[in-house]
Coordinates of all heavy atoms in Angstrom, one line a residue:
S1 N 0.8 -1.2 0.0 CA 0.0 0.0 0.0 C 0.9 1.2 0.0 O 2.0 1.3 0.5 CB -0.9 0.0 1.2 OG -0.2 0.2 2.4
L2 N 0.4 2.3 -0.6 CA 1.1 3.6 -0.7 C 1.4 4.2 0.7 O 2.5 4.7 0.9 CB 0.4 4.5 -1.6 CG 0.5 4.2 -3.1 CD1 -0.3 5.2 -3.9 CD2 1.9 4.1 -3.5
P3 N 0.4 4.1 1.7 CA 0.8 4.6 3.0 C 2.0 3.9 3.7 O 2.8 4.5 4.3 CB -0.5 4.4 3.8 CG -1.6 4.4 2.8 CD -1.0 3.8 1.6
V4 N 2.1 2.6 3.5 CA 3.2 1.8 4.0 C 4.5 2.2 3.3 O 5.5 2.4 3.9 CB 3.0 0.3 3.9 CG1 4.2 -0.5 4.3 CG2 1.8 -0.1 4.7
L5 N 4.4 2.4 2.0 CA 5.6 2.8 1.2 C 6.1 4.2 1.6 O 7.3 4.4 1.8 CB 5.3 2.8 -0.3 CG 6.4 3.2 -1.2 CD1 7.6 2.2 -1.1 CD2 6.0 3.2 -2.7
A6 N 5.1 5.1 1.8 CA 5.4 6.5 2.2 C 6.0 6.5 3.6 O 7.0 7.2 3.9 CB 4.2 7.3 2.2
A7 N 5.5 5.6 4.5 CA 6.1 5.5 5.9 C 7.5 5.0 5.9 O 8.4 5.5 6.6 CB 5.2 4.7 6.8
L8 N 7.7 4.0 5.1 CA 9.1 3.4 5.0 C 10.1 4.4 4.4 O 11.2 4.6 4.9 CB 9.1 2.2 4.1 CG 8.4 0.9 4.6 CD1 8.3 -0.2 3.6 CD2 9.2 0.4 5.9
C9 N 9.6 5.2 3.4 CA 10.5 6.2 2.8 C 10.8 7.3 3.9 O 11.9 7.8 3.9 CB 9.8 6.8 1.6 SG 9.8 5.7 0.2
D10 N 9.8 7.7 4.7 CA 10.0 8.7 5.8 C 10.9 8.1 6.8 O 11.8 8.9 7.3 CB 8.6 9.1 6.4 CG 8.8 10.2 7.4 OD1 9.5 11.2 7.1 OD2 8.2 10.0 8.5
I11 N 10.7 6.9 7.3 CA 11.6 6.3 8.3 C 13.0 6.2 7.8 O 13.9 6.6 8.6 CB 11.0 4.9 8.7 CG1 9.7 5.0 9.4 CG2 12.0 4.2 9.6 CD1 9.0 3.7 9.5
L12 N 13.2 5.8 6.6 CA 14.6 5.5 6.1 C 15.2 6.6 5.3 O 16.3 6.5 4.8 CB 14.5 4.2 5.3 CG 14.0 3.0 6.0 CD1 13.8 1.8 5.1 CD2 15.0 2.6 7.1
D13 N 14.4 7.7 5.3 CA 14.9 8.9 4.5 C 15.4 8.6 3.1 O 16.5 8.8 2.8 CB 16.0 9.6 5.3 CG 16.3 11.0 4.8 OD1 15.4 11.6 4.3 OD2 17.5 11.5 4.9
C14 N 14.5 7.9 2.4 CA 14.9 7.5 1.0 C 13.7 7.7 0.1 O 12.6 8.1 0.6 CB 15.3 6.0 1.0 SG 13.9 4.9 1.5
S15 N 13.8 7.5 -1.1 CA 12.7 7.6 -2.1 C 12.2 6.2 -2.5 O 12.9 5.2 -2.2 CB 13.2 8.3 -3.4 OG 14.1 7.5 -4.1
P16 N 11.0 6.1 -3.1 CA 10.6 4.8 -3.5 C 11.5 4.1 -4.5 O 11.6 2.9 -4.5 CB 9.2 5.1 -4.2 CG 8.8 6.3 -3.5 CD 10.0 7.1 -3.2
G17 N 12.2 4.9 -5.3 CA 13.2 4.3 -6.2 C 14.4 3.7 -5.6 O 15.0 2.8 -6.1
D18 N 14.7 4.1 -4.3 CA 15.7 3.4 -3.6 C 15.3 2.1 -3.1 O 16.1 1.2 -3.0 CB 16.2 4.3 -2.4 CG 16.7 5.6 -2.8 OD1 17.3 5.7 -3.9 OD2 16.6 6.6 -2.0
L19 N 14.0 1.9 -2.7 CA 13.5 0.7 -2.2 C 13.2 -0.3 -3.3 O 13.4 -1.5 -3.2 CB 12.2 0.9 -1.4 CG 12.4 1.6 -0.1 CD1 11.1 1.9 0.5 CD2 13.2 0.7 0.9
I20 N 12.7 0.2 -4.5 CA 12.3 -0.7 -5.6 C 13.1 -0.4 -6.8 O 13.2 0.7 -7.3 CB 10.8 -0.4 -5.9 CG1 9.9 -0.6 -4.7 CG2 10.3 -1.3 -7.0 CD1 8.5 0.0 -4.8
E21 N 13.8 -1.5 -7.3 CA 14.6 -1.3 -8.5 C 14.0 -2.2 -9.6 O 14.2 -3.5 -9.5 CB 16.1 -1.8 -8.2 CG 17.0 -1.7 -9.4 CD 18.3 -2.4 -9.1 OE1 18.6 -2.7 -7.9 OE2 19.0 -2.6 -10.0
P22 N 13.3 -1.7 -10.5 CA 12.7 -2.5 -11.6 C 13.8 -2.9 -12.6 O 14.8 -2.3 -12.8 CB 11.7 -1.6 -12.3 CG 12.2 -0.2 -11.9 CD 12.9 -0.3 -10.7
Y23 N 13.6 -4.1 -13.2 CA 14.4 -4.6 -14.3 C 13.7 -5.5 -15.2 O 12.6 -6.0 -14.9 CB 15.7 -5.3 -13.7 CG 15.3 -6.7 -13.0 CD1 15.4 -7.9 -13.7 CD2 15.0 -6.7 -11.7 CE1 15.1 -9.0 -13.1 CE2 14.7 -7.9 -11.0 CZ 14.7 -9.1 -11.8 OH 14.4 -10.2 -11.2
V24 N 14.2 -5.7 -16.4 CA 13.6 -6.6 -17.4 C 14.2 -8.0 -17.2 O 15.4 -8.1 -17.2 CB 13.8 -6.0 -18.8 CG1 13.2 -7.0 -19.8 CG2 13.2 -4.7 -18.9
E25 N 13.3 -9.0 -17.1 CA 13.8 -10.3 -16.9 C 14.4 -10.8 -18.2 O 14.0 -10.4 -19.3 CB 12.7 -11.3 -16.5 CG 12.3 -11.1 -15.0 CD 11.3 -12.2 -14.6 OE1 10.7 -12.9 -15.5 OE2 11.0 -12.3 -13.4
A26 N 15.4 -11.7 -18.1 CA 16.0 -12.3 -19.3 C 14.9 -13.2 -20.1 O 14.0 -13.8 -19.4 CB 17.1 -13.2 -18.9
D27 N 15.0 -13.2 -21.4 CA 14.1 -13.9 -22.2 C 14.3 -15.4 -22.0 O 15.4 -16.0 -22.2 CB 14.3 -13.6 -23.7 CG 13.3 -14.2 -24.6 OD1 12.2 -14.6 -24.1 OD2 13.6 -14.4 -25.8
R28 N 13.2 -16.1 -21.6 CA 13.3 -17.5 -21.3 C 12.5 -18.2 -22.4 O 11.3 -18.5 -22.3 CB 12.6 -17.9 -20.0 CG 13.4 -17.4 -18.8 CD 12.8 -18.0 -17.6 NE 12.9 -17.0 -16.5 CZ 12.1 -17.0 -15.4 NH1 11.2 -17.9 -15.3 NH2 12.2 -16.1 -14.5
R29 N 13.2 -18.4 -23.5 CA 12.5 -19.1 -24.6 C 12.6 -20.6 -24.4 O 13.6 -21.1 -23.8 CB 13.2 -18.8 -25.9 CG 13.1 -17.4 -26.4 CD 13.7 -17.2 -27.7 NE 15.0 -17.8 -27.8 CZ 15.5 -18.3 -28.9 NH1 14.8 -18.3 -30.0 NH2 16.7 -18.9 -28.9
K30 N 11.6 -21.3 -24.8 CA 11.6 -22.8 -24.8 C 12.5 -23.3 -25.9 O 12.4 -22.8 -27.0 CB 10.2 -23.4 -24.8 CG 9.4 -23.1 -23.6 CD 8.1 -23.8 -23.7 CE 7.2 -23.5 -22.5 NZ 6.0 -24.2 -22.5
R31 N 13.2 -24.3 -25.6 CA 14.1 -24.9 -26.7 C 13.2 -25.7 -27.7 O 12.3 -26.4 -27.3 CB 15.1 -25.8 -26.1 CG 16.2 -25.1 -25.4 CD 17.2 -26.1 -25.0 NE 18.5 -25.4 -24.8 CZ 19.6 -26.1 -24.4 NH1 19.6 -27.4 -24.3 NH2 20.7 -25.4 -24.2
T32 N 13.6 -25.6 -28.9 CA 12.9 -26.4 -29.9 C 13.7 -27.7 -30.1 O 14.8 -27.8 -29.6 CB 12.8 -25.7 -31.2 OG1 14.1 -25.4 -31.7 CG2 12.0 -24.4 -31.1
A33 N 13.2 -28.6 -30.8 CA 13.9 -29.9 -31.1 C 15.3 -29.6 -31.7 O 16.3 -30.4 -31.5 CB 13.1 -30.8 -31.9
D34 N 15.4 -28.6 -32.6 CA 16.6 -28.4 -33.3 C 17.7 -27.8 -32.4 O 18.9 -28.0 -32.6 CB 16.4 -27.3 -34.4 CG 15.5 -27.9 -35.5 OD1 15.4 -29.2 -35.6 OD2 14.8 -27.1 -36.2
E35 N 17.3 -27.1 -31.3 CA 18.2 -26.5 -30.4 C 18.6 -27.4 -29.2 O 19.5 -27.0 -28.4 CB 17.6 -25.2 -29.8 CG 17.4 -24.1 -30.9 CD 16.7 -22.9 -30.3 OE1 16.0 -23.1 -29.2 OE2 16.8 -21.8 -30.8

């Protein structure tokens, strides 16, 4: 919840971007018979 996130940011003197680091997962393709 946003109130919990805001409280954590206030307690730890940080921004939401410091707590949450988004990233793109590696492509997990299924192998075909040829591969």
